[in-house]
Amino acid sequence: MNETSPMKPLGPKDFATDQDVRWCPGCGDYAILKGVQKTLADIGARPENTVFISGIGCAARFPYYMKTYGFHTIHGRAAAVATGVKLANPDLDLWIVGGDGDSLSIGANHLFHLLRRNVDVQYLLFNNEIYGLTKGQYSPTSRAGLRTPSSPAGAMEQPAHAIPFALGAGARFVARGGDVRIKELSETLKRAHAHKGASFVEILQNCIVYNDGAFGHIMDKDKADDAQIHLENGQPMRFGREAKKGLRLKPGKLQLEAVTIGENGVTEADILIHDETDRVMAGMLAAMEGPDLPVAMGVIYCAPTAAFDQQIADVMGRRNPSIKKLQNLIEAGHTWTVG
């Protein structure tokens, strides 16, 4: 009698390849790589069922360092390629990795439609506010005034903001993490993976060579407690070293403000409770920036709906029960054999 042996649990090292990691020493991508490998091990992922797809840029080297299937595609097209892969084989677990330039410049159109369609993938946007691979030109997310080789007088454009973009595209899961907060990032990635549909996670990541310290005012240890707020669904939106600060609506206005419990009559009852299904509140949280308001971290918005690939599979099955795969659909109906 044949007996099936249980699959051996995998650890983070089981998702690491033998390739030399070729990012600059000190790059935030190293920490993110370790965090993703840990996440895959924690969720019980299997390499043979996992795919990493990337475009062009520093972050796009990610598939080389993951012992899974992978595609290193062309600039800005990772979302389009991933959509095709998911429709061809919905059982695959797809992760897309792209930088801020790859995702929000040449790839913005494709990312928009991936989120709008709600394809069941995890999209990780590494945001270092610079083009690192091509030697430090300003990117769509670079702040106005930033001096770079392509903006010696300072960038004159206003930056694109990834989280509001994702919400505007209709994303149903939107979150933010940071390269130096791996524990929190890993928990966010687990939530993203559990979500059925397009999960969008912006990861604030330091480029030590061309834009070092861009997020120092948010991520540095001596500033993080007051500069970040880690959201947890159903819990008061509090922050600060002793969690004495919190968010409330300004009296008579649909506008957030940071307050301190015990000052000016503020009590715990005044602090807002995070409801990750509230799209209006998600927009306000996504727009928060220092110095008066903390930057929102964790799951900002989560409101599941039917995934695009599942809808396609359902339609195919209803029209013709014999259609089980995309190839069956191609061969169905009016086809000809050319001799």
Side-chain angles (χ1 to χ4, degrees):
M1 186 174 79
N2 294 329
E3 293 185 4
T4 302
S5 299
M7 288 188 176
K8 173 188 173 184
L10 301 178
K13 291 183 179 180
D14 292 308
F15 292 95
T17 68
D18 60 358
Q19 299 296 301
D20 292 333
V21 182
R22 298 183 180 276
W23 289 313
C24 299
C27 175
D29 287 353
Y30 285 94
I32 301 172
L33 176 64
K34 294 297 184 183
V36 171
Q37 290 168 342
K38 179 183 183 302
T39 299
L40 292 182
D42 288 347
I43 63 176
R46 303 302 301 182
E48 65 273 13
N49 197 52
T50 306
V51 185
F52 278 82
I53 297 178
S54 65
I56 296 296
C58 296
R61 295 195 59 81
F62 217 84
Y64 291 101
Y65 310 138
M66 299 299 302
K67 190 182 281 188
T68 64
Y69 289 110
F71 290 92
H72 190 176
T73 69
I74 57 177
H75 204 183
R77 270 54 175 188
V81 172
T83 299
V85 172
K86 190 65 178 180
L87 292 180
N89 190 344
D91 294 332
L92 291 174
D93 185 13
L94 259 66
W95 299 74
I96 306 173
V97 175
D100 49 298
D102 188 39
S103 302
L104 295 175
S105 183
I106 193 170
N109 177 49
H110 297 289
L111 174 57
F112 175 86
H113 292 295
L114 176 92
L115 299 176
R116 177 181 67 84
R117 290 173 175 141
N118 198 34
V119 183
D120 187 17
V121 301
Q122 292 78 237
Y123 197 108
L124 310 184
L125 188 153
F126 294 20
N127 185 5
N128 56 18
E129 297 188 351
I130 203 75
Y131 278 109
L133 185 69
T134 48
K135 307 301 183 282
Q137 298 94 332
Y138 77 96
S139 82
T141 59
S142 295
R143 298 169 204 178
L146 182 67
R147 295 179 181 273
T148 74
S150 59
S151 58
M156 299 179 186
E157 303 170 10
Q158 293 301 311
H161 297 283
I163 299 295
F165 171 88
L167 289 169
R172 310 293 296 194
F173 181 99
V174 177
R176 182 186 284 125
D179 57 0
V180 298
R181 302 294 293 258
I182 293 303
K183 181 179 179 181
E184 292 89 347
L185 176 61
S186 182
E187 292 304 313
T188 298
L189 295 179
K190 291 175 188 177
R191 284 287 314 277
H193 180 265
H195 175 79
K196 299 304 178 184
S199 300
F200 180 83
V201 182
E202 178 190 25
I203 304 176
L204 306 183
Q205 175 249 325
N206 191 47
C207 176
I208 195 169
V209 176
Y210 297 110
N211 203 19
D212 190 23
F215 299 111
H217 62 294
I218 302 169
M219 306 301 293
D220 286 353
K221 288 184 178 181
D222 61 335
K223 300 181 177 69
D225 288 334
D226 291 326
Q228 302 177 26
I229 181 167
H230 291 265
L231 303 171
E232 186 175 349
N233 191 44
Q235 297 299 315
M237 291 192 276
R238 297 172 62 166
F239 65 104
R241 187 172 299 277
E242 299 178 356
K244 293 291 187 180
K245 298 181 181 181
L247 298 177
R248 73 171 184 182
L249 291 174
K250 285 186 177 180
K253 295 185 178 181
L254 190 60
Q255 185 177 352
L256 292 174
E257 68 173 350
V259 293
T260 301
I261 297 172
E263 295 183 3
N264 301 317
V266 176
T267 69
E268 292 187 17
D270 295 311
I271 306 304
L272 294 169
I273 304 298
H274 181 45
D275 176 4
E276 63 186 21
T277 67
D278 188 336
R279 190 176 183 85
V280 174
M281 179 57 67
M284 290 192 285
L285 292 171
M288 292 196 308
E289 289 186 282
D292 297 328
L293 289 169
V295 172
M297 308 291 280
V299 179
I300 297 172
Y301 180 66
C302 179
T305 189
F308 179 67
D309 43 289
Q310 185 59 56
Q311 289 179 299
I312 292 294
D314 291 345
V315 169
M316 288 166 55
R318 286 199 303 271
R319 288 183 177 177
N320 188 340
S322 67
I323 295 174
K324 302 298 183 183
K325 297 181 179 180
L326 185 61
Q327 187 65 29
N328 300 142
L329 180 63
I330 294 173
E331 296 172 352
H334 298 289
T335 60
W336 294 266
T337 298
V338 180

